[in-house]
Amino acid sequence: MTWSMIFEHLYIVLAACLLSILIGVPLGLLAYLYPKARAVILRVVDLLQTIPSLALLGIIMVFLGAGKATVILGITLYSLLPIVRNTCLGLQQVDPGVKEAARGMGMSKLYRVVMVELPLAFPTMFTGIRIAVVNAIGTAVFAAFVGGGGLGSVITRGIRLKDMKTILSATLVLMVIAAALDALMGVFEKRMHSAAIRGGGRKKLLTPLALLLAAFVLLVPFGTSGEKGDLYVYDLNYSEPQLLTRMVKMLVEDRTGLKVVIKDEMTAVNAFNELTAAQSSCDFIVSYDGTLLTTYLHQDTTDIPAGETLYDYANRQAMERYGVRMLGKFGLDNTYAIAVPEALAQQYGLNTVSDLVPIAGQLVFGAEHDFFTTEGSMKYNPFAAYYGLKFKDAVSVDISLKYNAIENGSFQVTEVYTTDGLNIKAGLKILEDDKNFFPEYNGTLLVRQEVLDEYADQGLEQVMNLLEGRISNEQMAQMTYQVDVEGRDVNEVARNFLVEQGLLAA
């Protein structure tokens, strides 16, 4: 966690709050002035509040792509409810005698609302703004799922590694920010209430909004000044692709002089969507041939023609459909695997997945949400049917909580990645896939062909292939263990490996 991440989080919050004020206050005025439209406006902002955060961001990302714009618009829509409702309510609560007096003085309806009623309603309106700002601080954590930056990635990583210090420190920062902003806005709210009672002080009412705008302007460099480079890649939200991404960055910058910019974290599916978008915001990502086939291309191993490998078939399909292709395999096969605690394996003599069949009815299977989806064929239902496994129950958890859950005994069987260092930490035994259900998941780079063509003179493809066949499952498991368990810096671990391999000078 760095100061830039904190300021970036604040930028997202303030940008969304300013936008929600610009939209919410006029909507509240319309709801007040036109009773027939009121029910529609309030119903719409109510419904927006009921949409799950990630679902809303996913919908917006289809139109705006990944990044801060998606997050800011999402938070804006979530913030409309308290602002619209409090604006309408504040205006409705203005003393009818004051309204009648203004009307008797010959004021037009618009002039009366703007110059008389609005200042009197402002304390109530500001309460809505205050609620929206505080809520936005927490909601902005979801920016980590769509490449928006901020402190969400810190919290997600802390949960996955069961690093209470990281979780608490990031949470404490958010609490301090929320408390400080709430206290400051509370002071302004009291002053505005006093000004409203005295019947004046419209200029004072604009002070908090002016300060909010000034703070936003000061934070603009943290939200809009993206690092400039020649190649762009999204950071994925777990250690293995982060290590590989940094290795590639170091090699490319060392051998070609091209600058590689690692953008904010996001999920693998979102990163692939950005890579293959018409207006792509990245040039390559770390991927796996099995993931490309089943998750991105929505095909199965049965679709592979006889005599053609999974890697070659998926590569050909990706090039034909999207103009992207895989480079050489790193050497690691990070396929799905089924794992159980060592104690359970010893108790029942478990060595293969088929050994689970007689006792499956006594056990609970748990894994991340993605393993229970229908996106791709290598998921829970096809797996259980293939092996004839009927577990007592099957539960899904966030990927960041999976290892915590199995260590706590919430379930006894889980799906893991073979190169994850947390398998070592959690004391899990990986069972042999004796019926060969899971395909290969060979790690590689997925790159846009036009980028390789553009930098052919610099030998970009050759440099990116320097890691081909260099990294075994055991080596990657040790590296992820160093990052996830020992807490070593991902850049340091990546550089040390390249030095050991003779690919980078010490």
Side-chain angles (χ1 to χ4, degrees), residues 298-413:
H298 305 287
Q299 296 192 43
D300 201 346
T301 51
T302 56
D303 295 312
I304 302 172
E308 192 168 11
T309 66
L310 185 157
Y311 174 88
D312 290 335
Y313 176 72
N315 216 2
R316 178 165 58 83
Q317 290 290 311
M319 188 63 193
E320 291 174 1
R321 292 193 196 182
Y322 301 110
V324 299
R325 67 181 177 90
M326 293 182 288
L327 299 187
K329 305 173 189 176
F330 293 129
L332 58 93
D333 177 16
N334 190 13
T335 187
Y336 283 123
I338 303 303
V340 297
E342 283 283 1
L344 186 71
Q346 292 177 11
Q347 180 182 352
Y348 292 101
L350 303 177
N351 294 296
T352 68
V353 176
S354 293
D355 291 337
L356 289 170
V357 175
I359 61 169
Q362 308 170 42
L363 307 175
V364 176
F365 185 97
E368 64 267 23
H369 303 304
D370 182 63
F371 194 64
F372 289 93
T373 66
T374 57
E375 191 173 54
S377 57
M378 299 298 112
K379 304 298 181 180
Y380 175 75
N381 286 330
F383 157 72
Y386 185 84
Y387 269 99
L389 292 165
K390 297 181 179 179
F391 291 102
K392 179 181 179 180
D393 195 8
V395 296
S396 65
V397 297
D398 187 85
I399 189 170
S400 59
L401 297 173
K402 180 173 68 176
Y403 284 96
N404 294 342
I406 197 164
E407 287 184 76
N408 294 335
S410 299
F411 43 80
Q412 297 79 43
V413 187

Side-chain angles (χ1 to χ4, degrees), residues 113 206 246 262 366 375 390 441 490:
V113 170
L206 297 178
R246 280 151 183 79
I262 300 176
E375 191 173 54
K390 297 181 179 179
Y441 279 79
V490 66

